[in-house]
Amino acid sequence: MKHIKIRTRTFLQGGIHPPENKSVTYEHSIENLPLPKKAIIPLSQHLGKPALPVVKKGDTVSEGQLIGKKDGNYSSHVHSSITGKVTDIGPYYTASNVKSNCIVIQLEGEIKRMNADKPDWSNLSREQILQRISEAGVVGMGGAAFPTDVKLNVPSDKKVDFFIVNGAECEPYLTCDYRLMMEKPEEIVEGIQIIKKLLNVKKVFFGVELNKRPALEHIAEHLREKDNIELIALKVKYPQGGEKQLIKAILNKEVPSGGLPFDVGAVVSNVATINAVRDAVLFQKPVIERVVTVTGRIVKNPGNYKIRIGTPLSDVIADTGLTEEPAKIILGGPMMGPSVVSLDTPVTKGTSGILFLSEKEEKRVRYNAYRSCIHCAKCLMVCPVSLNPCMLSLQGEFETYDQMTRYDIMDCIECGCCNYVCPSFRPIVQFIKLGKSFLKKKG
Amino acid sequence: MSRWNELTKGIIKENPIFFIMLGLCPTLAVSTKVIYGIGMGIAATFVLIGSNIFISLIRNFIPDKIRIPCYIVVIATFVTIVDYILNAYVQPLHKALGIYIPLIVVNCIILGRAEAYAGQNTVLNSILDAIGMGIGFTLAITLIALIREILGSGTITLQMLGYGWVWEVPVKPMTIMVLPPGALLTIGILMGIINHFKQKEK
Amino acid sequence: MLKTSISPHIHSPQNIEYAMRNVLIAMVPALLASVYFFGVRALWLEIISILTAILAETLMQLLLRKPVTVSDGSAAITGLLVAFNMPPNIPFYVPVVATALGIIVVKQLFGGLGHNIFNPALVGRVFVMFAWLPEMTTWNVPLHPDWIRHFNLFHINLDSITSATPLAVNKLQGMSALVSQFGSKTQLYLQSFLGNTGGCIGETSELAILIGAFYLFSRKVIWPTVPFVYIITVAVLTALMGQDPLFHILSGGLFLGAFFMATDYVTTPMTLSGSLVYAVGLGLLTVILRLKSGLPEGVSFSILLMNGLTPLIDKLIRVRTYGKQSKRGRDHE
Ligand code: SF4
Ligand code: SF4
């Protein structure tokens, strides 16, 4: 391990240390969850326009078949995750708690393993690689679900010097990226090589938070000198996995307000996305499943499961079991993940975890009984982008949304740090989201 | 009925101090004893009535552009009368009110009524308006003075030139209440209470 | 039934009650010191003030038809702070009026916790200071404590003699008179630090206040910036004016004010640079009031004045947002 330099870094402004709770699933290696009997596959699992359905009700589809075609550039393909028959195309509850169009597929017929091509990517051209990524419908799997082919297709006038691998996984409870790093280091390194070629960058940084030290060491063993990948140990701090904070921590550069990472010459990708990119480029395998951390104190068999896209939560519960009625179910981590209203809500490409909270845990957060701001300034101290969440929440409360631009509302990354520390339980992020949507509508 | 209305509106509904918030400077300054409040109220009422009558009489002859100077001349005349009368017959009150008597000239209530009412209405209505406003002002300033005197000096003074009474109230006097901050506090709290009830009515 | 809410779904356990409870705990050493030096009468003053505060808050919230939130402890803090700022031999109605005024007018009429512009305890104190000046400026030191009488719960009256506070002596008769009164300079510092001097019941013992303050720092309830910058400013400025800096920081209400009143959440600026401006301003005003005005002490007034400036400081002093070039908020428009 002599050739590996490990430097410890972090970003300075703001951040919090919520209880990690990663131990629940820390040691559970990735297992397959049985196929769902019914898959509800949303046509919009990504940022941008929803995909256009290309199958009809009654069609039989096979695993990995294209069922939703991307609509324009900022969109992504959607594939069937199981073999079966399309029984419905219509609105269902998805993670955002509004009904959006989904394709429902009933499990039916024979399951064919997909044929694996000979994995040789070295003579693929840049366009071919992008094409494969796009066809596989790869989106950012850390949560934001930005179409990966768009992200990696850097405009020719921008110069990218660094590729940053995001293994921070700063959200409490989640361990799916950690398990991927532990179990598929070679695959991830291979994925990094592909992206490195695609972006034509010299230098790769691989950032992992220190609470995942075994992963750090494990990856180090699989790195060779000529890979030119520098491992960075990050001090544990939420929200280090946010692109902007990761760039600040590793490169000590700030993405300009309203800009994208490549404005400072960097591209950031999450390890799960890199794994999906590798599968897409090597085997032309579409994204039909992903590793999801199923966790919470009330889960009988918590762990990291490979789950088919579209698996409804009820199926997940049937397989993992619960010891008590959940009061709240969260898709993703507890800091940024949305809570769902229906047990039919499907797992999507961006779902990194499913967190079940009991009545007792749920009771600790009471936003509906929030109190006046006491100007304690805790929110200012933890905001990683140095905003004034206190002012923003006051303006949200008085519905003076126009004023919010004066406090740089659009720069908020909605990380929830301010909300987490607020002693008055003010729903600051909600006020900010309201303000943002108001200002967007106003244009 | 409407005449009656002209008279009473100044007492509560459009009380110059609590509702229109005019004439606060003499209110803050002289409301340290009840008798000073009443004296100030009467002096201002006299000026108000006199100036309202005259202004409404000559309202059709005053050119619009120089009406304010004209009003001031009329008001100043009456203020001078009051000043001399007080100085001649009620020396202690004159001493206590001091500069605030000449300052009635620029008292916003009087100028405000002249501008807003007497300049546009008949003599009879103007008299009624002046009486109503005068009573309202006197009541308000007396109320403030009552509170301030009780808390600040522990007395209620209704004595002038040896006539009348002074009551002792069993309160430990708080010096701050007879100082200007006390007046601001009193007016603020009274106004808060009044606004509270006003909002409730709506 | 699944419940939903916006993210985040976990919350730090440090809510308002946590902060207020810790502040109350941090005030216990000063409370004990006050009882030790000024007898049971001090305890009674404190109890009465706290009860008044709680009662006033409850009644006011019932009257205004608001949820009753006395249990968060902020009213109790106000009451205790008022008591700490009272001379030992004050009649009992004085802290009652001060507390009631602070809670009813300054806190509840402005909208309750979080909406008050000024520190309620300080306004209460300044009000009674001007209402009953002679009572508020008569200082007593206990006379050879007879410990049994001293701590007898029902021995409300203090066996004491009237004496001026060290700051007043310094102002009127100069430092040398003070040194001769205490014997030596070291004695003067030591006694001031321990709290064995004349003064308000809660402010004399710097030691007790420091213990409480460090507890608060360790609990991350308050941050040390404002108090230390304040105290250092006072030390530097008094030294520049040719006074004894150590004496000035150890006497009067500086420590109580710096650690417990200048760190009040509601009435202090929020940004770090803002609080620096605030703290330096406090130091400046305190020194000016102490040395150049007719009053021997200026901590309460400086804090109140700076409270009034806080909204302005918060408005003018901004932090640069991540990814922005300038500190101004509008440059993306
Ligand atoms: S949610 Fe927005 S305002 Fe709150 S801490 Fe995060 S970035 Fe700052
Ligand atoms: S953390 Fe909450 S109470 Fe404190 S300043 Fe921010 S919004 Fe106000």
Side-chain angles (χ1 to χ4, degrees):
Chain A
M1 264 180 55
K2 214 177 121 258
H3 57 283
I4 310 274
K5 268 197 305 196
I6 297 190
R7 289 192 274 167
T8 318
R9 296 183 189 179
T10 190
F11 61 103
L12 283 181
Q13 162 61 35
I16 53 173
H17 302 96
E20 286 169 19
N21 281 318
K22 289 190 193 269
S23 58
V24 185
T25 51
Y26 203 68
E27 299 298 337
H28 294 257
S29 47
I30 300 171
E31 288 169 46
N32 282 323
L33 209 67
L35 290 188
K37 279 170 217 69
K38 183 178 84 175
I40 304 169
I41 303 174
L43 285 165
S44 173
Q45 305 184 22
H46 43 264
L47 280 184
K49 283 190 182 166
L52 302 167
V54 293
V55 289
K56 291 186 307 296
K57 209 166 148 176
D59 284 3
T60 31
V61 291
S62 58
E63 187 180 286
Q65 185 184 331
L66 186 74
I67 54 172
K69 212 167 137 46
K70 67 194 240 176
D71 180 14
N73 261 345
Y74 277 91
S75 181
S76 180
H77 288 312
V78 174
H79 302 82
S80 169
S81 58
I82 53 175
T83 303
K85 203 162 128 195
V86 178
T87 56
D88 192 16
I89 301 179
Y92 284 85
Y93 275 118
T94 58
S96 52
N97 280 341
V98 283
K99 289 194 173 177
S100 77
N101 274 340
C102 297
I103 296 177
V104 184
I105 297 163
Q106 197 75 39
L107 185 65
E108 211 176 87
E110 223 153 275
I111 299 157
K112 275 189 274 146
R113 279 277 118 212
M114 293 201 317
N115 58 331
D117 258 7
K118 192 175 174 313
D120 178 25
W121 55 277
S122 49
N123 41 25
L124 289 177
S125 73
R126 185 173 177 269
E127 281 67 36
Q128 277 170 316
I129 295 178
L130 275 177
Q131 177 74 16
R132 287 190 175 188
I133 295 174
S134 162
E135 265 166 19
V138 183
V139 300
M141 287 177 152
F146 192 80
T148 304
D149 54 315
V150 182
K151 186 186 235 176
L152 296 182
N153 192 0
V154 178
S156 47
D157 56 325
K158 302 275 181 193
K159 199 175 145 8
V160 173
D161 307 312
F162 309 104
F163 176 56
I164 296 177
V165 185
N166 184 352
E169 200 167 46
C170 55
E171 277 265 12
Y173 285 100
L174 302 188
T175 54
C176 54
D177 287 356
Y178 168 71
R179 288 319 303 181
L180 263 182
M181 286 187 274
M182 288 302 283
E183 288 165 40
K184 301 193 168 176
E186 280 158 24
E187 284 87 336
I188 291 172
V189 173
E190 198 165 13
I192 295 173
Q193 305 296 359
I194 297 173
I195 295 176
K196 213 169 118 188
K197 175 178 175 193
L198 185 61
L199 295 173
N200 195 16
V201 291
K202 296 271 132 45
K203 185 85 188 161
V204 177
F205 291 102
F206 196 136
V208 181
E209 278 196 349
L210 272 172
N211 55 1
K212 290 176 275 293
R213 188 175 274 282
L216 203 66
E217 281 154 12
H218 201 62
I219 297 270
E221 280 162 26
H222 290 84
L223 293 183
R224 289 155 298 157
E225 181 105 49
K226 67 175 172 50
D227 289 344
N228 207 357
I229 298 178
E230 183 176 341
L231 274 175
I232 309 270
L234 300 165
K235 277 199 201 107
V236 182
K237 197 174 190 185
Y238 177 85
Q240 197 137 237
E243 271 182 356
K244 292 180 170 181
Q245 273 56 51
L246 199 63
I247 291 173
K248 179 81 183 170
I250 292 181
L251 303 177
N252 197 14
K253 284 186 186 162
E254 292 189 1
V255 182
S257 162
L260 287 168
F262 48 64
D263 290 330
V264 290
V267 165
V268 184
S269 246
N270 164 279
V271 285
T273 319
I274 291 169
N275 189 39
V277 165
R278 169 192 173 266
D279 285 353
V281 175
L282 260 57
F283 307 104
Q284 293 183 301
K285 182 183 161 212
V287 182
I288 56 165
E289 61 188 1
R290 67 156 297 152
V291 181
V292 178
T293 306
V294 180
T295 182
R297 306 231 175 278
I298 56 172
V299 182
K300 252 193 215 130
N301 302 307
N304 299 291
Y305 297 97
K306 218 177 221 170
I307 300 182
R308 294 291 163 122
I309 306 296
T311 308
L313 288 184
S314 47
D315 276 31
V316 177
I317 296 175
D319 290 321
T320 57
L322 290 176
T323 54
E324 119 184 30
E325 194 73 0
K328 205 189 233 179
I329 305 178
I330 296 148
L331 288 187
M335 290 301 292
M336 287 182 82
S339 60
V340 300
V341 284
S342 157
L343 283 180
D344 278 340
T345 311
V347 169
T348 62
K349 293 176 193 172
T351 309
S352 44
I354 306 174
L355 171 60
F356 296 90
L357 290 186
S358 68
E359 187 85 38
K360 220 172 96 209
E361 290 163 308
E362 197 269 338
K363 274 228 174 76
R364 284 185 206 146
V365 185
R366 279 275 166 269
Y367 292 125
N368 46 9
Y370 72 88
R371 315 247 306 256
S372 310
C373 168
I374 56 167
H375 301 267
C376 64
K378 284 194 171 152
C379 51
L380 275 86
M381 264 173 227
V382 298
C383 179
V385 281
S386 309
L387 297 184
N388 187 336
C390 155
M391 259 353 251
L392 290 171
S393 81
L394 285 175
Q395 270 147 1
E397 197 174 353
F398 298 126
E399 301 185 0
T400 48
Y401 299 122
D402 320 355
Q403 299 282 313
M404 286 169 119
T405 47
R406 286 182 33 205
Y407 293 90
D408 296 335
I409 180 179
M410 289 305 175
D411 290 289
C412 169
I413 56 168
E414 293 174 19
C415 63
C417 292
C418 48
N419 228 332
Y420 175 82
V421 295
C422 177
S424 290
F425 281 88
R426 295 174 69 76
I428 306 173
V429 176
Q430 176 164 335
F431 286 131
I432 289 175
K433 282 183 180 163
L434 275 175
K436 275 188 179 173
S437 67
F438 174 88
L439 290 168
K440 267 187 199 134
K441 238 183 261 156
K442 230 181 84 189
Chain B
M1 194 60 216
S2 81
R3 288 264 152 86
W4 180 244
N5 213 13
E6 296 299 338
L7 183 67
T8 53
K9 69 171 193 286
I11 296 175
I12 295 193
K13 218 166 63 231
E14 290 179 27
N15 187 302
I17 290 191
F18 292 132
F19 286 75
I20 318 183
M21 285 189 229
L22 291 178
L24 287 182
C25 359
T27 317
L28 292 176
V30 304
S31 60
T32 49
K33 280 203 170 127
V34 178
I35 191 71
Y36 298 160
I38 295 176
M40 186 72 201
I42 292 175
T45 311
F46 174 76
V47 177
L48 191 53
I49 296 174
S51 68
N52 257 19
I53 294 174
F54 263 79
I55 285 165
S56 112
L57 276 176
I58 59 173
R59 67 179 189 276
N60 295 330
F61 308 109
I62 302 177
D64 220 27
K65 277 190 185 146
I66 54 160
R67 62 180 196 286
I68 301 284
C70 295
Y71 294 166
I72 298 274
V73 171
V74 174
I75 298 168
T77 314
F78 285 98
V79 171
T80 315
I81 297 172
V82 170
D83 195 13
Y84 283 143
I85 291 178
L86 288 185
N87 204 356
Y89 299 105
V90 214
Q91 262 276 322
L93 186 64
H94 186 263
K95 239 196 193 134
L97 299 187
I99 184 68
Y100 291 96
I101 297 177
L103 277 181
I104 299 179
V105 176
V106 285
N107 189 320
C108 317
I109 304 176
I110 293 161
L111 202 57
R113 288 333 284 176
E115 167 80 4
Y117 200 90
Q120 285 134 32
N121 284 289
T122 60
V123 178
L124 188 59
N125 277 352
S126 299
I127 294 175
L128 292 175
D129 178 70
I131 295 175
M133 286 290 161
I135 296 175
F137 177 66
T138 313
L139 284 181
I141 195 171
T142 312
L143 177 66
I144 294 164
L146 187 69
I147 297 174
R148 284 182 67 191
E149 197 187 343
I150 292 177
L151 292 179
S153 325
T155 52
I156 302 175
T157 315
L158 273 177
Q159 190 184 40
M160 190 47 65
L161 298 174
Y163 303 102
W165 317 266
V166 178
W167 284 288
E168 298 271 332
V169 185
V171 166
K172 186 95 190 158
M174 303 188 214
T175 328
I176 191 172
M177 291 308 285
V178 292
L179 301 176
L184 285 171
L185 261 176
T186 318
I187 295 186
I189 291 174
L190 284 176
M191 229 156 229
I193 294 172
I194 288 170
N195 278 346
H196 177 73
F197 285 111
K198 212 163 65 175
Q199 254 172 14
K200 241 190 203 163
E201 258 171 40
K202 273 179 199 160
Chain C
M1 245 320 271
L2 286 179
K3 294 191 183 119
T4 56
S5 78
I6 46 111
S7 58
H9 305 281
I10 50 178
H11 199 283
S12 151
Q14 306 191 357
N15 52 11
I16 294 185
E17 284 77 11
Y18 171 90
M20 300 297 169
R21 195 170 57 231
N22 276 310
V23 174
L24 276 177
I25 293 174
M27 283 159 92
V28 169
L31 188 145
L32 294 179
S34 75
V35 179
Y36 177 78
F37 289 115
F38 298 105
V40 171
R41 192 182 165 82
L43 187 64
W44 281 110
L45 280 173
E46 280 143 1
I47 292 176
I48 286 174
S49 299
I50 293 178
L51 288 183
T52 317
I54 289 175
L55 201 70
E57 174 131 317
T58 318
L59 288 180
M60 216 41 207
Q61 283 177 332
L62 288 177
L63 202 70
L64 299 174
R65 302 210 170 70
K66 283 190 184 163
V68 176
T69 55
V70 270
S71 58
D72 68 15
S74 61
I77 292 178
T78 303
L80 197 49
L81 276 181
V82 170
F84 277 4
N85 275 305
M86 292 291 148
N89 232 355
I90 196 92
F92 284 118
Y93 59 79
V94 176
V96 170
V97 170
T99 317
L101 184 101
I103 295 281
I104 292 175
V105 177
V106 184
K107 192 171 169 200
Q108 291 303 331
L109 285 188
F110 275 76
L113 180 65
H115 298 283
N116 48 311
I117 303 169
F118 297 102
N119 188 329
L122 280 177
V123 178
R125 173 195 149 110
V126 167
F127 179 85
V128 292
M129 177 108 176
F130 283 121
W132 293 296
L133 197 62
E135 285 88 341
M136 284 296 288
T137 42
T138 313
W139 308 97
N140 294 60
V141 275
L143 200 61
H144 312 297
D146 164 356
W147 293 111
I148 297 168
R149 267 161 77 83
H150 197 65
F151 292 124
N152 179 354
L153 215 48
F154 300 101
H155 180 64
I156 292 179
N157 290 323
L158 194 61
D159 308 321
S160 62
I161 45 162
T162 325
S163 87
T165 61
L167 274 175
V169 175
N170 179 40
K171 185 150 196 156
L172 299 174
Q173 299 159 21
M175 194 68 184
S176 47
L178 204 58
V179 174
S180 63
Q181 185 186 330
F182 279 88
S184 70
K185 255 197 168 159
T186 342
Q187 266 303 313
L188 170 65
Y189 296 145
L190 186 68
Q191 296 303 338
S192 301
F193 183 66
L194 293 177
N196 203 2
T197 55
C200 294
I201 58 172
E203 73 183 18
T204 57
S205 177
E206 273 70 25
L207 176 67
I209 292 167
L210 269 183
I211 294 173
F214 276 99
Y215 172 75
L216 285 185
F217 298 149
S218 74
R219 282 308 177 98
K220 293 205 167 65
V221 176
I222 58 172
W223 289 268
T225 345
V226 172
F228 284 115
V229 174
Y230 182 11
I231 292 170
I232 289 169
T233 314
V234 171
V236 170
L237 286 178
T238 42
L240 286 181
M241 309 268 282
Q243 296 270 338
D244 185 341
L246 196 55
F247 163 71
H248 267 281
I249 61 173
L250 285 180
S251 48
L254 183 60
F255 268 52
L256 183 67
F259 288 105
F260 286 104
M261 295 190 280
T263 53
D264 174 34
Y265 285 153
V266 187
T267 53
T268 47
M270 297 201 284
T271 54
L272 182 67
S273 27
S275 28
L276 290 182
V277 172
Y278 174 81
V280 172
L282 282 176
L284 202 66
L285 283 173
T286 306
V287 173
I288 291 175
L289 287 172
R290 269 192 188 177
L291 301 181
K292 297 285 169 212
S293 80
L295 299 160
E297 176 59 311
V299 172
S300 318
F301 294 99
S302 357
I303 298 179
L304 277 182
L305 281 169
M306 290 311 283
N307 281 172
L309 281 185
T310 297
L312 194 67
I313 295 177
D314 268 339
K315 198 163 174 161
L316 292 184
I317 297 188
R318 298 275 298 270
V319 186
R320 188 184 59 84
T321 305
Y322 176 105
K324 292 253 178 182
Q325 298 309 315
S326 78
K327 285 190 183 181
R328 285 185 45 245
R330 281 188 177 269
D331 57 359
H332 62 279
E333 280 173 14

